[in-house]
Amino acid sequence: MRIVSFILLSLWSIPALGDTLQARFIGNAAIEITDGETTLLTDFPYTSGAFGYMKYKFEEVKPVGRVLCLITHNHSDHWDATLFKKTDWSLAAPLKLVRKLDPSRIVPFGPKMHFDGLEITPIRTVHGNVNHVSYLVEWHGLRLYFTGDTEETGGVTGAGKLDALFVTPWLLERLLLRNSSMDAKKIVIYHHLEGEAVPKCAQCMTPKQGETFPIAP
């Protein structure tokens, strides 16, 4: 009976395929998303406390299964190559960022990228003068969009129906001021400072650091 109970509890703790994904806000633009077998890490690992943004303890991030790091650009509040080299994780990122890294760990950059059931579409977007990419991720029938640091609204408005949009406070404010189309069931505001006043909307949530939440169809 105890064995059966343990199995049932274990199954309950793993999101059902095609049902929900479990997400956790690590800090900055770093989101940990898993289906219990594969984990997606966005803009992680990054340098803790870089540019006055959120601090975290690298050793406390323990993703399950095969792990993909999806990086928008090379600023240190989004990426730390030294920390990445301490792991056995895979990486999808702009071409300039992956140079000098082990090619066996790199998902080839292209119009469509694939990793353990994830289909990833990179969208080149503007952020200062750096090579910056936003991403549309399709996984278990869910459509997730990660803006990164871009100030450009076109990627979001052209993304179509989304199950979750991950967006910075400044880009969301620009989208709302322009009455731009955002067809998203859930809007997750990330890369905010602790206690920062952020834009409000009906489907918006601003997770606290370490908070977990589901992404459902």
Side-chain angles (χ1 to χ4, degrees):
M1 187 64 182
R2 290 182 179 179
I3 295 175
V4 172
S5 298
F6 173 78
I7 292 172
L8 289 173
L9 286 171
S10 298
L11 290 173
W12 178 84
S13 67
I14 298 174
L17 301 187
D19 185 13
T20 61
L21 297 172
Q22 287 296 324
R24 183 172 75 92
F25 178 46
I26 299 173
N28 293 0
I31 304 288
E32 179 183 22
I33 303 175
T34 185
D35 64 358
E37 297 179 351
T38 302
T39 299
L40 174 67
L41 295 170
T42 67
D43 282 341
F44 188 86
Y46 68 85
T47 302
S48 178
F51 305 122
Y53 281 102
M54 291 182 172
K55 297 180 180 179
Y56 72 98
K57 293 182 178 180
F58 179 70
E59 62 275 10
E60 293 181 357
V61 180
K62 299 177 180 179
V64 299
R66 292 193 65 200
V67 180
L68 176 67
C69 301
L70 188 64
I71 308 299
T72 59
H73 64 295
N74 66 358
H75 286 163
S76 59
D77 54 334
H78 293 255
W79 171 243
D80 188 321
T82 300
L83 290 176
F84 175 76
K85 290 176 182 178
K86 295 180 179 180
T87 74
D88 60 357
W89 305 338
S90 297
L91 174 67
L95 292 174
K96 289 184 179 180
L97 189 146
V98 304
R99 292 174 182 172
K100 299 181 180 180
L101 295 176
D102 181 354
S104 68
R105 300 176 62 187
I106 308 303
V107 175
F109 194 89
K112 296 285 184 183
M113 300 181 285
H114 295 89
F115 181 88
D116 269 18
L118 287 80
E119 182 175 272
I120 302 162
T121 303
I123 298 99
R124 295 193 181 277
T125 45
V126 175
H127 177 47
N129 60 355
V130 301
N131 189 12
H132 185 281
V133 179
S134 302
Y135 296 99
L136 172 66
V137 176
E138 297 176 79
W139 192 10
H140 292 312
L142 301 174
R143 303 181 82 245
L144 320 176
Y145 192 92
F146 303 90
T147 64
D149 268 5
T150 186
E151 301 87 13
E152 183 180 334
T153 60
V156 173
T157 57
K161 293 184 177 181
L162 301 171
D163 293 284
L165 167 64
F166 295 81
V167 62
T168 59
W170 58 89
L171 182 56
L172 179 59
E173 183 175 23
R174 180 173 293 190
L175 287 160
L176 292 173
L177 285 173
R178 295 183 179 183
N179 292 315
S180 299
S181 174
M182 293 181 289
D183 193 356
K185 294 179 181 177
K186 184 189 294 285
I187 296 176
V188 182
I189 303 172
Y190 66 177
H191 212 350
H192 53 284
L193 294 169
E194 198 68 42
E196 177 182 359
V198 299
K200 306 293 184 181
C201 68
Q203 65 271 48
C204 287
M205 68 169 294
T206 307
K208 295 180 179 179
Q209 194 169 14
E211 182 177 347
T212 61
F213 53 92
I215 303 171

